Every structure is written in C-alpha cells, then in structure tokens.
Amino acid sequence: MSGVRTRVAFKATGTDGLGVPVKGVIIDNDGKEVETFEATHFGMGQFRLMPEKGKLYQAKVTYPDGSEKSIKLPPVLESGYVLSVYNNTETDTVLVRISSNPAILEKGGQTVSLIAQSNGSVSYASSMPISNH
C-alpha cells in the first residue's frame, strides 16, 4: 500500500517442494534498486518495502546455481490496511499493529475488527474505530 512501510515475507521452493536459498533485489520501474533480500531458513525470508504510488516493482531472484528470474510484484494499492504481527517468545506475547495511509482516512471514520484464533478457539475479538486523531 502506498506510503506505508511493509514487511513482505516470502518462501522460495524448488520443483520438489523443498525450500531454496535464494537472494536478490527489489527494483522499481525506473530501474532503481530499492531493497535486497535473502532466504535464511528453508527458503523463507523477508524484506521491508515502502511502496510509492504509481510505481511498479519486481524481484530479481538469484538461485543457488547462478540463474536469475524476474518476478513482478503486485501493483501498489492507493489505500488500505497493513497488518503486522510481532511475536515475543520471551514474554509469550503478541503485538498486532494495524497501519493505514491518509487515503483510507479521507473516506471518513472506519472500523476494523480483529479476531485471534488459537487451537480452533477464538481467544480474542475486538472492533476498533480508526480516525485521523
């Protein structure tokens, strides 16, 4: 979503379904490198991205054998929400952050609902009004 820093997670797998240790760069439509990434465990990894309105992005992936492939990322949305979840294993707590950009608030008051489920049971449910205050 435009103007909101987002954590993007990925998993790279081979034809056998197993994780592949890839690395690469994120490039915008001007050819500018905006971020790097590398799979760290079983082909999984993450990177941060601050998408800009009107830009297109692609991942240039490098495989262990040196081959490369470009993968187009989804288009940047003008408005919406970003849900971020942070797990603190030391304190057995979870922080949930809901972010939006000004475009969503221009639509007027919004309400978001959050439902947490664990082992098949709802353990938390809440609705929260969102405003620009």
Side-chain angles (χ1 to χ4, degrees), residues 8-83:
V8 179
F10 66 90
K11 180 167 184 176
T13 57
T15 56
D16 58 4
L18 299 177
V20 177
V22 298
K23 60 182 177 179
V25 296
I26 305 298
I27 299 170
D28 68 14
N29 55 322
D30 295 326
K32 179 182 172 191
E33 182 180 308
V34 296
E35 190 58 68
T36 62
F37 61 88
E38 185 169 357
T40 56
H41 187 68
F42 296 119
M44 296 182 287
Q46 66 178 351
F47 60 90
R48 304 285 303 226
L49 184 63
M50 175 75 89
E52 293 180 38
K53 181 179 176 180
K55 293 261 185 176
L56 299 172
Y57 297 92
Q58 66 178 321
K60 186 179 271 188
V61 181
T62 304
Y63 295 91
D65 65 3
S67 63
E68 293 184 345
K69 181 177 183 180
S70 291
I71 301 169
K72 291 181 182 180
L73 299 184
V76 177
L77 299 176
E78 285 191 39
S79 66
Y81 297 99
V82 172
L83 179 68

Side-chain angles (χ1 to χ4, degrees), residues 45-132:
Q46 66 178 351
F47 60 90
R48 304 285 303 226
L49 184 63
M50 175 75 89
E52 293 180 38
K53 181 179 176 180
K55 293 261 185 176
L56 299 172
Y57 297 92
Q58 66 178 321
K60 186 179 271 188
V61 181
T62 304
Y63 295 91
D65 65 3
S67 63
E68 293 184 345
K69 181 177 183 180
S70 291
I71 301 169
K72 291 181 182 180
L73 299 184
V76 177
L77 299 176
E78 285 191 39
S79 66
Y81 297 99
V82 172
L83 179 68
S84 302
V85 179
Y86 304 92
N87 184 19
N88 186 336
T89 56
E90 292 179 13
T91 61
D92 198 27
T93 59
V94 175
L95 169 67
V96 177
R97 177 176 289 148
I98 301 170
S99 304
S100 67
N101 61 2
I104 197 76
L105 298 176
E106 291 170 3
K107 297 178 181 179
Q110 305 285 313
T111 299
V112 296
S113 297
L114 178 67
I115 299 172
Q117 182 175 332
S118 177
N119 294 325
S121 299
V122 173
S123 57
Y124 179 83
S126 179
S127 293
M128 299 158 270
I130 304 232
S131 67
N132 58 357

